[in-house]
Amino acid sequence: MKCSVRATCGNAFQRNVFSSTSILGTLLAGTLALSGCGTAPVTSAVKTLQIAGAVHGGQQPVTGATLQLYAVGTTGDGSTATPLILTTATTSDGSGSATDGNANAANNLNTLPAGFFTLTNQYVCPPQGVEVYLVAKGGNPGLAAGTNNLALAMMAALGPCSALTPTTNIFIDELTTVGSVAALYPYMTSYAAVGSGTGDATALANAFAKVNEYTNTSSGTVPGPTLPASTYASSTEIDTLADVIAECINSAGNTGSTSACATLFAYTPNGGTTPTDTIGAVINILQNPNQNVCPIWQMTPATGPYMPTLSACPANWNLPITPWTVSVSGASSVYEGATSQYTATVTGTTNQSVNWLVNNVAGGNSTVGTISATGLYTAPTVTTSTAVTISAVSVLSNTTMGSTGVTVLPVTVGVSGPANVLFGQTGQYTATVTGSSTTTVTWLVNNVAGGSASEGTISTSGVYTAPANAPVTPVTISAQSTAFPASSGSISITVSPTSLTYATGDTRTVTQPTYPGICMTLTAQFSSTQRSSPPAAASDDTSRIQAALNSAACKNTGLAVELALGGSGSNAFYSEEITLNGEGLTIDSGVTLYGGASYSTQSYLIYIKGTNSSLNGVGTGTSQGAVDGRGDLYIGTGSSTRLVEATPTSNLIVYNVTLEQSIYPNLYIQGGNGATVWGVNILTPDTRANADGIDLDSVTNVTVTNSIVEDGDDGVAVKTNASAASNITVTNNRFYGSHGLSIGSIPNYTVTNVLFLNNYLYGTDMLGNVSGDANGLVIKIDPSCAATVQQVTYQNTCMTGVKHLITFYTNYANTCSGAAGNPVFTDILVNGVYATSSISGAYSYFYGASATAPSMAALAYVSLDKNTQSSGTTATQYATISLDDSSLTPSGTGVTTNTFSTPGSVPTCSF
């Protein structure tokens, strides 16, 4: 009889185990007929059975191996097992010779194929339920005749003896050996000592059952037939150990210190005892899983009989049975025609190999996209309406799968460029292709490639040339992907005879100031409780503060005199007019500098000039260093003392300081180049007449930012009393109860490049006083003054409780001290205004001096809750207004409107 040998490569779980089923079936039928099993004696305690099988080392049959069926010991863990075969039983050598030394009943006198055996009437089962296992010891693993590998020991754990039947096929090899020991090693000390005590007999029975999850003892493969779905029984690790012991098994045995067996046994001693057979070696490995891990793994042959094997040294030789999952990670969306890498992570096993599918199709297809063996997904070239799912299936189990959903996105084209192009002029447009490596596009104007003379033409590089006159239809510039013609983007533009120049403000790069170094420290000697009756001028702090400022250590150094807390609750300084000239004054947290007893008869409390001068406060909230003008005590006195005046200065810093209760303007900056007002709190109530918040007069390069202004007149006023004012930024401030963001009055000279950005205006002060002149955005000039206001932008302004919302007018009379003539407004842009809860009777107006000197402005993204215009002597007149998405459309005598386009939006406000 001949048998086919199973393949030596491929997946261990799909191994073709020679046609042993038919051979073993034939053998069992024959041996049953020979044995006359129907006449075997049967008692209540024992019963005679027949089993058959084969023993292989690697892929070779093992001939002459001694077989022994053991019943587990019952006197303790690892107790001596009971041999059940009492006569010689070896595997066939396939010679057919009944006279050589290997012939016996177990191999049917060597007539069975090499390595096969059949046991008939050679054992009896112990009492019902006792676990048994079959051991093959020694034999020739296909080497020269006469070889007997005494180190060879393999086994198959079979379970209850009573469960064995005449059709039980047993295939013993390295896999069944490692798989059996993996379950039983807690109860083993050698192949002849497998047992338990009565207290853990059930646990041992469960371990025998677990063998069938590790290995299939009928086919000699892994995993076993009872392994639950999506569960991993360390099969790759078992393959690896099986290959390691196969090196010893498929040899002549422990024939010398360099033999495979000697190497294996040297790596697997247990407590100093070196094993003498391969089962002993496996027991020691699994009972000591952290010892010699890598040396044992390094014994794995490159092309062993069992595959796959571990590609790297494991952390240990534990062989758990664990849940088995596959997860897939990668992009949730992929552009059409693009590629994206996906990764599968297999948990519960070290074998990370998977097969890839797209919508359950191995490798995918052109409709839903394809995927390579390494997980590289290529999306279809046309966006699919079908949902795409990328899945990975473990090569070890076709039921263990992970997946992720993928959206195939269309290639998109974005077009950017100017929203307005003047007649006959050009504008550069740019197309951004997203999702494709091919970025070339075809340019169109109103769906005509290259455009037309009447609506404008566009070059292959996106340069649009507007027609000389207004186009008949609105103009849309489009870009179409050359690689994906269905993908295009567009922008609608206006073609007009006029343009606007946005204000850019301060030309400096302004960052948050830092405190200057301290040149001298003064401590307070007075208390804030003296505010209503301060010390006399002769005995206050004026002279010592001025002396410190004028000292050699401080003057013109940019360093600061520090006003600090004194002892016994002293927290106040009282002073008449003091002067800073190139140095700073820093007021500590909790400290206040008060106007002295006589300062109201002087021009200022603090006068600043020079370069690098600064006024600073330390702290936040009510503890912030402060300057208090005690203006509430001078109401009705006629005093016009300014709290702080700077003129002229260069690189002035007013930082993080509170200015409160001013008699007249709080902070007046006139002349000079470079001023930064940052984090200033102005707290003068709305009821204080003429107490402007911040006046910027005849200055250039100024930034006012991150400040709170509560005052009784203009919140910020840009003026030109001495010279032109230019390059001013007012941004991120909140104004309470003020008269608005103002340009003017302008007695002479030019205002240029003023940017008001991201400001809030409240019609009431923080005490609840409604402003006596609740203004919003203001430009005011004398109708007979030849002054120019140009390039002013109010952007993203939020207003609540305001009455005079937008008022640009040239009838602010009796303020001109310069050359007579017509005022001029140019490039005045309001871009983004939101007004809510406006005062009853709220209105806007635009007042031009005459038809030859109109008020000119542009309104974009204006959303007012009151769109009423003023009437009577302040009715809108002689104005040219450009509109883009404005709730307000001015009208009146000599008023014309036109449309324009500019980027922007109505601001989102949080009052």
Side-chain angles (χ1 to χ4, degrees):
M1 186 177 293
K2 236 175 134 183
C3 67
S4 59
V5 179
R6 60 180 178 171
T8 61
C9 60
N11 191 316
F13 308 99
Q14 298 172 334
R15 216 176 265 124
N16 292 321
V17 181
F18 56 87
S19 53
S20 60
T21 302
S22 59
I23 296 175
L24 290 174
T26 302
L27 293 172
L28 284 169
T31 56
L32 285 172
L34 292 170
S35 67
C37 66
T39 62
V42 177
T43 70
S44 61
V46 297
K47 100 175 158 179
T48 304
L49 293 174
Q50 299 78 32
I51 54 176
V55 178
H56 269 216
Q59 304 302 329
Q60 303 299 321
V62 178
T63 62
T66 299
L67 301 168
Q68 183 55 263
L69 184 67
Y70 287 96
V72 296
T74 59
T75 60
D77 292 349
S79 57
T80 302
T82 301
L84 300 180
I85 300 175
L86 303 179
T87 60
T88 301
T90 61
T91 56
S92 173
D93 60 16
S95 66
S97 172
T99 60
D100 67 18
N102 188 58
N104 55 67
N107 54 48
N108 206 10
L109 304 180
N110 290 323
T111 60
L112 300 180
F116 276 76
F117 64 87
T118 180
L119 300 174
T120 304
N121 288 332
Q122 291 177 273
Y123 70 95
V124 291
C125 281
Q128 180 131 359
V130 174
E131 312 290 336
V132 298
Y133 60 96
L134 185 62
V135 173
K137 183 72 174 68
N140 187 341
L143 301 178
T147 299
N148 183 17
N149 183 352
L150 298 178
L152 186 156
M154 294 187 287
M155 67 181 290
L158 304 179
C161 187
S162 59
L164 300 179
T165 71
T167 59
T168 299
N169 299 331
I170 303 171
F171 193 98
I172 298 177
D173 63 4
E174 290 88 348
L175 295 177
T176 64
T177 301
V178 178
S180 295
V181 177
L184 302 179
Y185 73 83
Y187 309 96
M188 298 182 70
T189 56
S190 69
Y191 68 80
V194 180
S196 68
T198 56
D200 58 354
T202 300
L204 177 58
N206 292 336
F208 266 84
K210 185 178 285 189
V211 169
N212 291 315
E213 296 182 18
Y214 279 114
T215 183
N216 189 329
T217 57
S218 295
S219 60
T221 57
V222 291
T226 64
L227 184 68
S230 298
T231 304
Y232 177 65
S234 301
S235 296
T236 302
E237 290 79 0
I238 291 175
D239 275 341
T240 304
L241 286 178
D243 276 353
V244 168
I245 66 172
E247 291 291 280
C248 173
I249 288 170
N250 291 311
S251 73
N254 192 3
T255 56
S257 60
T258 60
S259 68
C261 293
T263 302
L264 173 64
F265 298 159
Y267 285 143
T268 58
N270 180 11
T273 302
T274 302
T276 59
D277 59 70
T278 50
I279 290 179
V282 176
I283 293 172
N284 287 350
I285 291 172
L286 300 187
Q287 289 181 343
N288 302 276
N290 297 309
Q291 291 186 10
N292 297 317
V293 177
C294 290
I296 293 170
W297 169 77
Q298 288 169 349
M299 293 182 65
T300 309
T303 56
Y306 306 110
M307 299 291 286
T309 57
L310 296 175
S311 59
C313 176
N316 53 57
W317 288 114
N318 290 321
L319 302 179
I321 295 176
T322 55
W324 195 356
T325 62
V326 178
S327 61
V328 176
S329 60
S332 61
S333 59
V334 182
Y335 285 99
E336 56 189 355
T339 60
S340 185
Q341 181 65 55
Y342 289 83
T343 302
T345 301
V346 185
T347 59
T349 174
T350 56
N351 190 332
Q352 298 294 301
S353 300
V354 295
N355 294 316
W356 289 97
L357 305 90
V358 182
N359 286 15
N360 292 321
V361 177
N365 56 40
S366 60
T367 301
V368 295
T370 59
I371 194 164
S372 71
T374 60
L376 184 65
Y377 173 69
T378 302
T381 55
V382 177
T383 305
T384 177
S385 59
T386 303
V388 173
T389 300
I390 293 177
S391 304
V393 181
S394 171
V395 298
L396 305 180
S397 169
N398 59 12
T399 64
T400 306
M401 174 188 295
S403 62
T404 186
V406 178
T407 301
V408 178
L409 300 175
V411 170
T412 60
V413 181
V415 177
S416 60
N420 184 77
V421 181
L422 302 181
F423 290 169
Q425 300 299 307
T426 61
Q428 177 65 62
Y429 292 85
T430 302
T432 302
V433 180
T434 302
S436 173
S437 58
T438 302
T439 59
T440 56
V441 296
T442 300
W443 288 99
L444 305 93
V445 179
N446 288 1
N447 294 321
V448 176
S452 64
S454 62
E455 295 171 342
T457 59
I458 193 165
S459 70
T460 56
S461 61
V463 177
Y464 171 73
T465 302
N469 300 299
V472 177
T473 58
V475 172
T476 299
I477 294 176
S478 304
Q480 181 184 59
S481 169
T482 57
F484 296 87
S487 299
S488 64
S490 62
I491 184 173
S492 296
I493 69 168
T494 59
V495 178
S496 67
T498 59
S499 64
L500 287 169
T501 303
Y502 276 70
T504 56
D506 195 338
T507 60
R508 302 174 302 156
T509 299
V510 177
T511 58
Q512 182 171 355
T514 57
Y515 290 106
I518 300 301
C519 59
M520 189 175 297
T521 299
L522 304 178
T523 57
Q525 57 188 4
F526 299 108
S527 169
S528 58
T529 60
Q530 299 171 261
R531 182 178 186 275
S532 59
S533 56
S539 61
D540 66 10
D541 296 297
T542 306
S543 60
R544 69 186 190 117
I545 294 175
Q546 192 63 62
L549 292 169
N550 292 342
S551 68
C554 300
K555 191 173 185 63
N556 279 320
T557 64
L559 302 176
V561 173
E562 177 186 20
L563 303 185
L565 291 167
S568 302
S570 298
N571 62 354
F573 291 80
Y574 291 87
S575 178
E576 311 305 314
E577 180 181 315
I578 57 175
T579 300
L580 281 67
N581 186 2
E583 61 276 347
L585 185 65
T586 297
I587 305 172
D588 280 358
S589 178
V591 176
T592 301
L593 171 63
Y594 291 98
S598 304
Y599 101 99
S600 64
T601 63
Q602 299 169 330
S603 297
Y604 343 94
L605 175 57
I606 300 176
Y607 176 60
I608 305 175
K609 60 182 180 179
T611 301
N612 297 326
S613 299
S614 65
L615 176 60
N616 313 282
V618 178
T620 59
T622 57
S623 297
Q624 188 177 57
V627 179
D628 186 339
R630 302 191 301 115
D632 53 321
L633 304 178
Y634 293 101
I635 296 173
T637 63
S639 173
S640 59
T641 302
R642 293 170 177 172
L643 191 63
V644 180
E645 173 153 338
T647 179
T649 61
S650 177
N651 194 28
L652 169 68
I653 301 291
V654 182
Y655 175 51
N656 201 48
V657 66
T658 295
L659 307 179
E660 56 188 338
Q661 292 294 350
S662 178
I663 298 174
Y664 217 49
N666 290 266
L667 176 60
Y668 198 104
I669 302 174
Q670 184 180 64
N673 187 332
T676 300
V677 179
W678 189 302
V680 173
N681 292 320
I682 295 178
L683 304 177
T684 298
D686 167 76
T687 53
R688 192 72 40 77
N690 297 314
D692 290 13
I694 303 173
D695 288 321
L696 306 175
D697 188 352
S698 309
V699 292
T700 187
N701 289 324
V702 177
T703 290
V704 177
T705 186
N706 298 318
S707 296
I708 293 174
V709 179
E710 176 190 50
D711 67 274
D713 208 309
D714 294 330
V716 169
V718 178
K719 304 180 178 183
T720 60
N721 283 301
S723 61
S726 62
N727 306 335
I728 296 170
T729 296
V730 179
T731 179
N732 296 321
N733 305 290
R734 291 182 183 253
F735 297 87
Y736 294 87
S738 74
H739 295 185
L741 305 177
S742 178
I743 304 290
S745 61
I746 306 296
N748 202 356
Y749 307 109
T750 298
V751 173
T752 303
N753 191 22
V754 180
L755 173 63
F756 296 94
L757 176 65
N758 299 336
N759 295 295
Y760 278 74
L761 294 166
Y762 298 79
T764 58
D765 66 13
M766 288 185 281
L767 299 174
N769 300 311
V770 177
S771 173
D773 198 0
N775 296 337
L777 313 183
V778 182
I779 301 177
K780 52 190 178 184
I781 193 170
D782 191 303
S784 61
C785 203
T788 297
V789 179
Q790 63 188 19
Q791 197 180 347
V792 176
T793 300
Y794 293 91
Q795 187 166 355
N796 294 342
T797 306
C798 298
M799 300 189 289
T800 181
V802 174
K803 184 173 184 179
H804 309 136
L805 302 174
I806 305 175
T807 55
F808 298 163
Y809 52 100
T810 61
N811 62 340
Y812 192 69
N814 302 318
T815 61
C816 186
S817 59
N822 291 322
V824 176
F825 290 177
T826 61
D827 288 328
I828 310 300
L829 172 62
V830 177
N831 185 348
V833 172
Y834 176 77
T836 185
S837 302
S838 298
I839 295 175
S840 176
Y843 61 83
S844 300
Y845 78 99
F846 304 84
Y847 190 97
S850 65
T852 58
S855 174
M856 302 179 68
L859 307 179
Y861 308 104
V862 173
S863 176
L864 309 180
D865 59 338
K866 299 290 179 62
N867 291 291
T868 307
Q869 297 178 73
S870 60
S871 58
T873 58
T874 59
T876 295
Q877 67 169 27
Y878 302 119
T880 301
I881 309 296
S882 300
L883 302 173
D884 179 15
D885 192 11
S886 172
S887 66
L888 175 65
T889 302
S891 61
T893 302
V895 175
T896 61
T897 61
N898 59 70
T899 61
F900 80 112
S901 179
T902 190
S905 63
V906 175
T908 299
C909 302
S910 178
F911 294 101

